[in-house]
Structures are given as C-alpha cells and as structure tokens.
Amino acid sequence: MGRQPCCDKVGLKKGPWAAEEDKKLINFILTNGQCCWRAVPKLAGLLRCGKSCRLRWTNYLRPDLKRGLLSESEEKMVIDLHAKLGNRWSKIASQLPGRTDNEIKNHWNTHIKKKLRKMGIDPLTHKIISPPTEQQQKEQNYEQIFNPHHPSSTVANTPCLESTISEITEEEKSNSSAFNPIDTTDTFLSKSPLFCTDEVPMIQPDEIIIHCADSSSTSSSSPSSSSCVKPEATLNLSGMEWLESNNMYFWGMDEINGWDLMSDDGDRKLTVDAFNQYQRMTFDQDSWKLELM
DNA sequence: AACTGGTTCAACCGCACTCGT
DNA sequence: TACGAGTGCGGTTGAACCAGT
C-alpha cells in the first residue's frame, strides 16, 4: 500500500494564490501562530492543502522576508556557502536573514550559475573549468582557424585563468577578509578581493595582462603567449581599475550596519550606522500587520 | 502589432527525515 | 523495532514576462 497523500486533493485549489487567500492565511497565522499545517486550511477557510499553505507562508508571506534581488554581499555569501554545503538550500538560507531556500535556489539557478560559468568556474565544484585536453586543444585550434565564430574561443576554455587565480598576491588575500562576512573556503571567489558579482569581469584572454618578473622572456609577445606565468608574476586585469580618485566605493550596500563608505582622498570618510533591512522589518512588524488588515 | 524564443520565479511534487505511539 | 503522520527539503514545472525580430 502506498503512502497517503499529504491532503485530500479533491476540490482543492492549485496554482497562484489570490490576494483574498493570502489575507486569510496571514490573518490566521497572526491570530493563532504556526500550528499544525494540516489543520490550517480548514481552520483558515482555505481550499488549499496544508503543504501549500506552509510554502506560501514561508516563501512569500512571512513578515521578516526581504524582497528583491540579492545584494552583492548576499550573492557572495551564497557562493561561499554553496562551496561548503552544496545544494543544501535551507542551510544556506539560514545564514541569510530574510531569504528563503526557494529564493536562493532560484537565484542560484538563474543568475549565479551563469556568472560563474562566464568566469570559467564550474558552479558545481567551484573549481576552474579544466583546461582542454590535447585532443580538445587540436579541435579548438582547428575551429579557430576554419570557423572563427565558434564558441570555443570563449574565456571559459582558456588555460590562462587557472594560472591567474593562483597568482593573487598575499596582500590581496589578506584584504579580502575585510569584506568577507564569514569564514571563507579556499575557492577562488572567497580569495579574490576583486570579485563583485554584479560586475563580473567579462574578460577575454587578451585582456589579461601579466607582468612576468623575468620580463625579457615575454617582451612584445602576443596576448596568447602571456599564458606563460612565472611564480613571481603579478596581475593586472584591465577593466578592474575602479578606484579612481575622489570616487566613493563600498562593499555590501545591503548590510551597511556599521560599514564604512570609503572616499579615496582619505579626508572624507563617511560612516553609516544604520540597521539593516531585516532588522527594520522586524521592528516594523506591527505596522506591517496594520497595513495588511 | 504579432510572433517567437528565452528568462524568471512562484508553486508543485515526491522523497527523506523526525517524532510519537 | 515497526509503523504512520507530519514536516522539511531539493528538483522540477509552467505561467507570466521580456526582448528581439
């Protein structure tokens, strides 16, 4: 005998929730609290199954939810946590106040995956996509000669990238801890202070300029020859020079409680001492209730 | 304006886990 | 220990929306 369904599906409504249904569910939860979900639809006068009610509440109606896209710092946190935890979305969500597992899962699948792939990083393993085998390299060369528009010329396949990551200086690594809100893994992203998910550098291989310590071996070489990276090499990623004089810059706009807005000229330093959106929502819960009623 | 293909995200489904009996 | 009910979780779906032609 099979398992009983979570609810009697006959006569139950499915699909998007109407405003009236939302109102009923909110009224019920605020009056009675979260109790047995199986009983909620009956008691609240809803033609939904308990599971559907729970999902609607936890993913959409809870007053402490943040709305809108994930901030840069949240995205980075998701990537770091995913590197540690894998697809355990609820565990990841528990580290991001006001975000649901469903929301994070969706954001991962629609935004972050693409960004990582564009950067040449495998979203599953968080490792650099491996350089092509000899046979693949031959095929790629063939395509580049006889079919220059073939996608094999994208940055994801460049063997340069793995080298560039290992060459981030110790100073840059130590700087990265200034904005990383949690203990980091040794993924590329957690080590790179240059990473900003909304500003993913769409760099091409020929945009990666590497100054080798032994400059005599690389002088006047073509871009492709820069893949020869010496241990002492330093990096200069064109397009990453954001810090123009007198420009303001900051990390983690969405979590600006206590974060400093830095001004390049050193004299003007603006400190923001605001509590974040999640805290505000918690404080404003009573007014939120009133708005709904 | 109409069509088409791609993207997004709320909601669903089924399995796994926990807990009480 | 075995079983069933309730709940949580992650993968998947499909309607709505958007951009390009």
Side-chain angles (χ1 to χ4, degrees):
Chain A
M1 193 165 71
R3 185 193 165 89
Q4 272 192 329
C6 72
C7 51
D8 179 10
K9 290 181 179 174
V10 180
L12 290 186
K13 199 175 167 218
K14 284 171 70 174
W17 280 62
E20 192 59 33
E21 291 177 299
D22 282 346
K23 215 168 179 178
K24 280 182 181 174
L25 183 58
I26 292 165
N27 268 328
F28 180 82
I29 301 284
L30 293 181
T31 312
N32 302 286
Q34 293 178 52
C35 61
C36 170
W37 284 111
R38 199 182 174 86
V40 165
K42 213 171 196 177
L43 297 170
L46 290 161
L47 290 171
R48 298 271 181 175
C49 78
K51 211 169 176 177
S52 180
C53 293
R54 179 177 59 83
L55 219 63
R56 182 66 179 168
W57 175 257
T58 54
N59 286 342
Y60 204 80
L61 298 176
R62 265 166 48 201
D64 60 337
L65 288 180
K66 285 184 187 177
R67 309 305 312 170
L69 285 173
L70 272 70
S71 67
E72 288 166 18
S73 56
E74 284 176 318
E75 266 195 7
K76 188 175 182 306
M77 212 165 161
V78 169
I79 294 167
D80 281 339
L81 289 165
H82 188 271
K84 285 180 185 172
L85 303 168
N87 290 2
R88 287 147 89 181
W89 305 115
S90 61
K91 290 270 185 292
I92 294 172
S94 67
Q95 302 292 318
L96 289 124
R99 301 295 187 182
T100 69
D101 53 354
N102 207 33
E103 192 177 11
I104 290 169
K105 179 173 59 184
N106 280 334
H107 193 77
W108 177 270
N109 287 326
T110 57
H111 295 102
I112 300 178
K113 256 185 175 176
K114 282 182 202 164
K115 285 180 181 178
L116 291 179
R117 286 206 183 103
K118 276 185 180 172
M119 295 176 74
I121 297 167
D122 184 351
L124 270 178
T125 61
H126 292 256
K127 294 190 188 311
I128 307 303
I129 293 168
S130 58
T133 63
E134 200 179 329
Q135 178 61 29
Q136 286 170 330
Q137 187 65 59
K138 282 180 188 169
E139 287 168 8
Q140 187 177 327
N141 291 342
Y142 178 89
E143 287 294 343
Q144 281 170 350
I145 292 166
F146 295 103
N147 181 10
H149 300 297
H150 193 269
S152 66
S153 61
T154 61
V155 67
N157 291 325
T158 177
C160 280
L161 200 51
E162 190 157 18
S163 303
T164 62
I165 284 142
S166 65
E167 299 306 325
I168 294 168
T169 64
E170 285 306 310
E171 185 189 350
E172 286 167 338
K173 282 181 185 176
S174 62
N175 285 345
S176 71
S177 63
F179 68 89
N180 194 353
I182 57 166
D183 183 28
T184 61
T185 64
D186 42 5
T187 61
F188 164 52
L189 297 176
S190 64
K191 293 284 192 243
S192 170
L194 303 175
F195 179 72
C196 169
T197 52
D198 277 347
E199 298 285 349
V200 175
M202 302 304 173
I203 50 174
Q204 297 301 316
D206 59 355
E207 292 175 308
I208 300 172
I209 302 161
I210 297 171
H211 304 289
C212 293
D214 182 6
S215 59
S216 61
S217 65
T218 57
S219 60
S220 71
S221 58
S222 66
S224 59
S225 69
S226 65
S227 60
C228 156
V229 180
K230 306 281 179 188
E232 311 82 15
T234 56
L235 264 184
N236 178 12
L237 300 181
S238 65
M240 301 297 279
E241 302 289 336
W242 307 340
L243 307 182
E244 300 295 332
S245 182
N246 295 326
N247 279 353
M248 302 282 278
Y249 59 95
F250 47 85
W251 293 99
M253 181 58 192
D254 207 41
E255 295 182 5
I256 52 175
N257 46 330
W259 288 62
D260 290 338
L261 297 176
M262 306 293 288
S263 170
D264 231 14
D265 63 15
D267 290 325
R268 289 176 290 125
K269 184 176 178 183
L270 174 62
T271 300
V272 177
D273 188 21
F275 49 83
N276 65 28
Q277 187 184 353
Y278 174 65
Q279 288 166 314
R280 279 199 303 276
M281 290 192 76
T282 307
F283 282 114
D284 289 343
Q285 194 163 334
D286 285 339
S287 56
W288 173 86
K289 283 181 198 173
L290 288 172
E291 277 179 32
L292 281 162
M293 297 311 144

